[in-house]
């Protein structure tokens, strides 16, 4: 996401520090402890302006939501949005952190999360940049590692090329597809769908939205937790 440099970005983040996590000294085995309650805990990767995470936290007060974004100027918008929507949340169930998805294993211990969302990830259309795509197999291995037994990955994208690539990578890495459609808004999965900022912009232009939900390979998960992670670059 491109963005003009935010004025007073650091101050604006500090003013909303209650929503922001610092990187833990050791990866979190029980992220729900961050919320002071036992509840299923979900992570959105590349949350952008944070509308999806806020919407999910409002819709599911019984669940905890974490959202990460690598660009701090974008995070300013996300935390200010969360604060603006504070009254709409029944529970104190929303937190953000500034991080690169690559560093996920530094934040979360194996089998610690109930679900992961990837919404409108950067497509990196050039073949030589394929390893940067957030659905490249080395990223899928990171997600498999931090997901609990039964935890799944839900992906939405406008980008048909990225979607094709994602389906190939999921198959290659042995994930089980539970739900899949190339036209989310015309599908049964549209019910209960919380739209992201990108999703609203693309669907207003008439673009179909691709969606897939998948489970990591159980027999490889154990392996994945102990094996060294492949480096992307
Ligand atoms: N999910 C939002 C934003 C989509 S744009 C929406 O649907 O509206 C993709 C976002 O992912 C950008 O904000 C970008 O900064 C972030 N991003 C891209 N690569 C990332 C990475 N490796 N780690 C964390 N965030 C990343």
């Amino acid at each position: 996401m491109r963005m003009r440099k935010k004025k007073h970005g650091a101050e604006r983040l500090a003013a909303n520090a209650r929503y922001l996590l610092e990187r833990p000294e050791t990866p979190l085995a029980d992220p729900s402890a961050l919320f002071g309650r036992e509840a299923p805990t979900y992570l959105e990767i590349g949350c952008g302006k944070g509308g999806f995470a806020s919407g999910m936290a409002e819709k599911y007060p019984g669940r905890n939501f974490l959202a990460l974004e690598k660009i701090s100027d974008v995070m300013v918008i996300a935390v200010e949005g969360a604060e603006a929507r504070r009254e709409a949340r029944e529970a104190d169930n929303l937190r953000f952190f500034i991080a690169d998805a690559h560093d996920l294993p530094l934040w979360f211990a194996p089998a610690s999360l109930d679900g992961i969302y990837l919404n409108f990830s950067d497509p990196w259309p050039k073949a030589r940049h394929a390893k940067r795509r957030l659905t490249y197999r080395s990223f899928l291995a990171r997600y498999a590692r931090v997901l609990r037994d039964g935890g799944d990955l839900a992906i939405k994208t406008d980008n048909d090329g990225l979607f094709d690539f994602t389906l190939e990578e999921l198959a290659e890495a042995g994930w089980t597809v539970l739900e899949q459609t190339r036209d989310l808004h015309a599908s049964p999965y549209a019910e209960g769908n919380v739209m992201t900022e990108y999703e609203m912009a693309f669907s207003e232009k008439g673009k179909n939205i691709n969606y897939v939900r998948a489970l990591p390979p159980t027999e490889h998960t154990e392996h994945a937790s102990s094996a060294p992670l492949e480096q992307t670059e």
Side-chain angles (χ1 to χ4, degrees):
M1 179 175 289
R2 287 180 201 280
M3 221 172 217
R4 238 171 293 152
K5 185 98 191 79
K6 284 266 155 309
K7 268 204 181 150
H8 311 298
E11 290 91 326
R12 289 165 65 181
L13 284 175
N16 291 290
R18 58 182 297 274
Y19 292 105
L20 283 168
L21 305 176
E22 298 287 339
R23 195 167 99 193
E25 268 169 39
T26 53
L28 300 169
D30 179 17
S32 73
L34 296 167
F35 300 87
R37 63 172 192 169
E38 275 303 318
T41 301
Y42 295 79
L43 172 69
E44 185 192 6
I45 295 176
C47 68
K49 296 180 181 174
F52 177 82
S54 272
M56 293 294 281
E58 289 164 17
K59 193 175 164 95
Y60 299 104
R63 304 180 187 177
N64 299 321
F65 291 91
L66 293 164
L68 76 85
E69 167 55 51
K70 70 174 178 184
I71 300 178
S72 55
D73 280 352
V74 178
M75 186 58 90
V76 169
I77 308 293
V79 292
E80 288 181 347
E83 177 59 13
R85 293 169 71 162
R86 188 214 281 250
E87 300 283 305
R89 281 189 303 279
E90 274 172 47
D92 183 20
N93 61 344
L94 179 60
R95 298 288 185 279
F96 297 87
F97 58 101
I98 299 169
D100 194 298
H102 188 268
D103 293 334
L104 213 52
L106 301 176
W107 289 79
F108 301 105
S112 56
L113 293 170
D114 290 278
I116 295 178
Y117 296 96
L118 273 179
N119 295 318
F120 301 83
S121 302
D122 300 343
W124 293 107
K126 290 186 180 129
R128 67 185 160 88
H129 290 148
K131 292 184 176 186
R132 298 186 189 177
R133 298 175 193 152
L134 291 182
T135 51
Y136 181 67
R137 59 199 68 180
S138 62
F139 281 106
L140 294 181
R142 286 171 167 75
Y143 310 150
R145 172 185 162 111
V146 297
L147 282 172
R148 263 191 231 292
D149 199 18
D152 60 26
L153 171 66
I155 299 168
K156 294 193 277 189
T157 178
D158 60 295
N159 192 285
D160 302 323
L162 179 66
F163 192 63
D164 291 339
F165 172 83
T166 297
L167 295 178
E168 283 166 26
E169 290 296 288
L170 289 170
E172 182 66 34
W175 289 59
T176 305
V177 169
L178 304 175
E179 297 175 342
Q180 178 185 338
T181 174
R182 288 190 184 261
D183 194 354
L184 173 61
H185 296 171
S187 81
Y189 313 123
E191 202 188 311
N193 178 46
V194 171
M195 297 245 261
T196 81
E197 284 86 354
Y198 270 52
E199 186 170 0
M200 287 187 235
F202 282 114
S203 50
E204 264 167 37
K205 289 188 208 153
K207 181 69 190 71
N208 62 300
I209 305 300
N210 302 285
Y211 162 76
V212 62
R213 188 165 73 85
L215 280 175
T218 38
E219 85 244 55
H220 300 162
T221 311
E222 264 122 72
H223 254 19
S225 340
S226 49
L229 289 167
E230 193 191 325
Q231 287 301 308
T232 40
E233 299 271 271

